[in-house]
């Protein structure tokens, strides 16, 4: 599974 | 979350509020580049699409909504309500030379070739140069009101504080995004000559004069 890139910064 | 990123976000919010208050109280957007504000609205729109299906935290969601609302609110004030005071003669930077390369670069250099990630990457690249029309306008008019220079100082400081946040997260061996870091450094470098003038002139009560 390709780990979804999550952007936690604004 | 760390203190650098929190201060960075608050500095960003402060900049946007300073600008809104300046336009609202003086009922004028003289000296402000509508083109830069237009680019910022594109940046937030392209970056915060995940607002509707990715929940990070209440803070994250609230700030995204505030940034979107205030950036469109600023556009409304500049292009509709106080349109008569918009100085279009000096706000002439060709923003297509910023948007098109940002799109091309986002298609070439990104973390993941998906729509949402390409849009996020586009917003990162565009944000790094979005202030150029404003800096160009200040250099063309040769000066800026002190309130405008406070706005620019707060706006420039936000991404500089984000660089400290990335250094801090690097020490914590947290996952970092090289694209955001490189673009953030470029963005902050663009403010350097302004920072110098702000710290040496504006804080001494002189007017900000950019060499034309």
């Amino acid at each position: 599974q390709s780990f979804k890139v999550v952007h936690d910064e604004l | 979350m760390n203190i650098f990123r929190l201060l960075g976000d608050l500095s960003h919010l402060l900049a946007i509020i300073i600008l809104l208050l300046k336009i609202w109280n003086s009922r004028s957007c003289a000296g402000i580049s509508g083109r830069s504000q237009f680019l910022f609205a594109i940046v937030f729109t392209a970056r915060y699409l995940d607002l509707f299906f990715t929940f990070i935290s209440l803070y994250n969601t609230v700030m995204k909504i505030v940034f979107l609302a205030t950036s469109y609110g600023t556009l409304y004030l500049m292009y509709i309500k106080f349109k008569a005071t918009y100085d279009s003669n000096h706000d002439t930077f060709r923003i297509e030379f910023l948007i098109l390369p940002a799109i091309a670069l986002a298609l070439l250099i990104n973390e993941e070739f998906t729509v949402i990630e390409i849009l996020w990457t586009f917003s990162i690249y565009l944000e790094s140069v979005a202030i150029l029309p404003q800096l160009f306008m200040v250099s063309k008019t040769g000066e800026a009101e002190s309130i405008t220079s406070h706005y620019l100082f707060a706006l420039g400081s936000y991404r500089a504080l984000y660089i400290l946040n990335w250094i801090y997260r690097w020490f914590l061996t947290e996952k970092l995004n090289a694209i955001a870091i490189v673009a953030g450094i470029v963005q902050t470098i663009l403010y350097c000559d302004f920072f110098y003038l702000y710290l040496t002139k504006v804080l001494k009560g002189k007017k900000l004069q950019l060499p034309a």
Side-chain angles (χ1 to χ4, degrees):
Chain A
Q1 108 140 22
S2 81
F3 287 96
K4 193 177 166 338
V5 181
V6 176
H7 301 295
D8 64 345
E9 295 178 343
L10 287 175
Chain B
M1 175 57 80
N2 59 67
I3 184 65
F4 301 112
R5 185 146 67 93
L6 181 62
L7 288 179
D9 290 339
L10 294 179
S11 179
H12 193 184
L13 184 63
L14 176 66
I16 292 174
I17 290 170
I18 289 175
L19 184 65
L20 271 175
L21 286 180
K22 175 244 184 290
I23 297 174
W24 184 259
N25 290 336
S26 67
R27 303 183 70 74
S28 158
C29 49
I32 304 297
S33 164
R35 290 169 182 237
S36 275
Q37 298 311 314
F38 175 70
L39 293 178
F40 287 130
I42 295 176
V43 165
F44 291 138
T45 307
R47 187 177 306 178
Y48 296 156
L49 292 174
D50 62 352
L51 186 66
F52 304 108
F53 42 81
T54 309
F55 182 78
I56 306 274
S57 69
L58 184 63
Y59 170 82
N60 190 274
T61 301
V62 167
M63 289 294 268
K64 285 176 177 176
I65 292 169
V66 167
F67 283 162
L68 279 167
T70 49
S71 60
Y72 281 100
T74 303
L75 285 183
Y76 165 74
L77 291 183
M78 291 196 71
Y79 284 109
I80 298 174
K81 192 160 178 65
F82 301 124
K83 182 178 175 57
T85 65
Y86 171 52
D87 178 7
S88 58
N89 297 324
H90 288 110
D91 190 13
T92 56
F93 195 97
R94 304 288 300 278
I95 56 174
E96 57 272 30
F97 295 159
L98 301 176
I99 296 174
L100 296 175
I103 294 173
L105 207 54
L107 290 168
L108 291 172
I109 305 173
N110 51 65
E111 288 261 319
E112 196 186 18
F113 204 79
T114 59
V115 171
I116 196 76
E117 186 59 22
I118 299 280
L119 282 172
W120 179 86
T121 311
F122 162 67
S123 83
I124 289 288
Y125 293 144
L126 188 60
E127 187 191 7
S128 65
V129 292
I131 198 62
L132 282 176
Q134 179 65 65
L135 296 178
F136 178 75
M137 183 174 189
V138 170
S139 68
K140 258 189 98 174
T141 50
E143 64 175 12
E145 291 173 50
S146 61
I147 189 75
T148 307
S149 53
H150 298 320
Y151 158 71
L152 284 170
F153 182 72
L155 194 60
S157 305
Y158 128 73
R159 216 62 182 171
L161 286 161
Y162 255 71
I163 293 173
L164 298 182
N165 147 66
W166 289 320
I167 294 171
Y168 179 85
R169 297 187 82 169
W170 180 74
F171 278 115
L172 297 185
T173 65
E174 287 184 18
K175 187 178 179 320
L176 291 172
N177 186 299
I179 288 172
I181 294 174
V182 172
I185 291 169
V186 167
Q187 182 170 335
T188 305
I189 289 173
L190 292 178
Y191 283 86
C192 281
D193 68 329
F194 166 76
F195 279 147
Y196 172 74
L197 288 168
Y198 182 81
L199 295 172
T200 57
K201 281 196 179 173
V202 175
L203 291 190
K204 291 190 177 119
K206 294 183 196 135
K207 261 184 99 58
L208 178 79
Q209 310 274 344
L210 272 184

